[in-house]
């Protein structure tokens, strides 16, 4: 065939066959059964894609509804009179100036850990930007505390990294707290996980230097049973426990949110 005839001949557009069309194919008329197998696989993959897309649509609707409810709650929210909210990018905030002014007895942080995959596990909605480990590692927590406790929330695949960070920052692991999530009816609030359904979160407790002044011992419990509330909102019982552990202390929360602002706490985050 000449070049001119090639240019004038239109390319035939290949249209994928439907499931019914494939079923009507006469195997005897197909010289290579592999072709039919591939076509069948194409249909199977399309069905799987449609199922995933349908599930994503349902999750997006659910997330939008939750966000609307949370926004409505926050519109009606009034900050505690004696809280100190600082709206700032945690990665660029002037931590040195803060450290010169005050050393904290207790620091609480809920880092936006980066999941093992960019796609959340089924049923999990991520409403804030995730940060790679190196960014979390760069937060100068050691400068903010001479003696005191660090409470750091972790997700399942970041336990090892959290212990690594504690050691690098100069802390020693001393305890951990389990939050068992409950519904409004006091039933276990299960969420979807990769292998097992998740109904709890873990907060690791570490200490730097010596116990803060006025520190008490054997307070509270290492298990909190509390209702699951807003997006990433932690249980109020944790803050009450901290205030019982170190009364009249100097408290700081990093990556804080409006729904966890408290009197006499400094809260820093870009979602305040």
């Amino acid at each position: 065939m000449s070049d001119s005839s090639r240019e004038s001949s239109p390319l035939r557009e290949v249209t994928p066959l439907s499931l019914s069309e494939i079923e009507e194919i006469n195997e005897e008329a197909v010289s290579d059964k592999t072709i039919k197998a591939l076509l069948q696989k194409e249909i199977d993959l399309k069905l799987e894609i449609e199922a995933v897309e349908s599930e994503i649509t349902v999750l997006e609707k659910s997330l939008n509804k939750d966000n609307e409810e949370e926004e409505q709650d926050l519109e009606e929210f009034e900050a505690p009179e004696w809280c100190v909210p600082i709206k700032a990018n945690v990665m660029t905030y002037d931590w040195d100036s803060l450290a010169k002014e005050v050393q904290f007895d207790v620091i609480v942080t809920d880092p936006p850990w980066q999941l093992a995959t960019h796609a959340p596990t089924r049923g999990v909605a991520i409403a804030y930007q995730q940060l790679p480990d190196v960014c979390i590692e760069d937060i100068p927590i050691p400068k903010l505390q001479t003696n005191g406790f660090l409470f750091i929330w972790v997700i399942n695949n970041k336990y090892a990294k959290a212990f690594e960070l504690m050691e690098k920052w100069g802390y020693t692991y001393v305890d951990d707290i389990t939050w068992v999530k409950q519904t409004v009816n006091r039933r276990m609030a299960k969420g979807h996980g990769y292998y097992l359904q998740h109904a709890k979160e873990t907060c690791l407790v570490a200490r730097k230097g010596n116990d803060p002044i006025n520190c008490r011992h054997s307070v509270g419990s290492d298990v909190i049973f509390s209702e699951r509330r807003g997006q990433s909102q932690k249980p109020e019982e944790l803050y009450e426990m901290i205030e019982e552990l170190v009364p009249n202390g100097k408290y700081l929360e990093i990556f804080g949110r409006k729904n966890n602002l408290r009197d006499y706490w400094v809260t820093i985050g870009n979602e305040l």
Side-chain angles (χ1 to χ4, degrees):
M1 184 180 292
S2 65
D3 292 340
S4 60
S5 62
R6 287 196 188 98
E7 292 175 358
S8 60
S9 300
L11 292 175
R12 188 172 74 89
E13 183 177 347
V14 179
T15 304
L17 298 178
S18 66
L19 180 59
S20 60
E21 289 174 327
I22 288 180
E23 290 176 344
E24 293 174 359
I25 293 178
N26 185 352
E27 290 190 12
E28 295 179 357
V30 180
S31 59
D32 188 354
K33 292 184 180 181
T34 304
I35 296 177
K36 183 174 181 180
L38 291 173
L39 292 173
Q40 181 62 57
K41 188 172 182 63
E42 179 186 13
I43 294 298
D44 292 341
L45 289 173
K46 284 185 176 181
L47 293 174
E48 290 181 15
I49 291 172
E50 289 176 0
V52 171
E53 289 177 342
S54 176
E55 189 172 347
I56 290 174
T57 300
V58 172
L59 291 175
E60 287 178 341
K61 290 181 179 178
S62 176
L63 175 59
N64 290 336
K65 181 179 179 181
D66 291 343
N67 286 341
E68 288 174 1
E69 291 177 352
E70 184 177 357
E71 288 175 2
Q72 183 178 358
D73 291 341
L74 291 178
E75 287 176 359
E76 301 171 356
F77 174 80
E78 291 185 8
E81 183 178 0
W82 303 107
C83 69
V84 184
I86 301 176
K87 184 174 182 178
N89 185 334
V90 171
M91 303 311 304
T92 58
Y93 181 67
D94 186 4
W95 295 106
D96 289 338
S97 295
L98 179 64
K100 291 178 182 178
E101 294 296 328
V102 60
Q103 291 288 290
F104 293 94
D105 299 310
V106 179
I107 298 175
V108 176
T109 182
D110 181 20
W113 299 105
Q114 192 169 58
L115 300 177
T117 172
H118 291 295
T121 56
R122 182 173 175 267
V124 177
I126 303 300
Y128 48 79
Q129 183 179 3
Q130 300 173 46
L131 289 177
D133 294 344
V134 64
C135 293
I136 298 172
E137 188 174 319
D138 283 343
I139 300 173
I141 286 182
K143 294 182 179 180
L144 302 168
Q145 196 169 52
T146 304
N147 298 298
F149 296 102
L150 171 66
F151 289 72
I152 180 169
W153 290 95
V154 294
I155 58 177
N156 284 1
N157 68 324
K158 293 298 181 182
Y159 276 86
K161 186 61 183 180
F163 280 102
E164 179 185 322
L165 289 179
M166 287 189 290
E167 182 178 359
K168 179 174 181 179
W169 289 337
Y171 289 81
T172 302
Y173 165 80
V174 294
D175 221 325
D176 61 76
I177 298 167
T178 298
W179 170 29
V180 180
K181 301 179 181 180
Q182 295 181 313
T183 66
V184 292
N185 298 319
R186 293 298 175 182
R187 295 185 177 183
M188 191 176 294
K190 295 180 181 179
H192 291 283
Y194 191 80
Y195 291 108
L196 305 177
Q197 290 184 327
H198 294 168
K200 67 175 180 64
E201 289 191 33
T202 300
C203 182
L204 302 179
V205 185
R207 190 189 72 174
K208 179 184 177 186
N210 300 316
D211 289 346
I213 298 175
N214 297 331
C215 178
R216 297 175 179 175
H217 297 88
S218 193
V219 302
S221 170
D222 61 355
V223 179
I224 295 173
F225 293 90
S226 179
E227 181 183 336
R228 180 179 61 187
R229 296 177 289 171
Q231 176 73 26
S232 295
Q233 185 174 1
K234 303 309 180 187
E236 187 174 350
E237 289 85 346
L238 175 75
Y239 302 90
E240 294 172 350
M241 182 191 303
I242 289 172
E243 292 166 358
E244 184 182 1
L245 176 67
V246 186
N248 303 315
K250 297 173 182 177
Y251 314 114
L252 168 67
E253 181 168 15
I254 302 174
F255 295 110
R257 293 173 179 269
K258 286 183 179 179
N259 49 28
N260 281 130
L261 292 175
R262 289 182 68 81
D263 283 330
Y264 312 113
W265 280 69
V266 177
T267 305
I268 301 177
N270 63 356
E271 298 188 15
L272 298 177

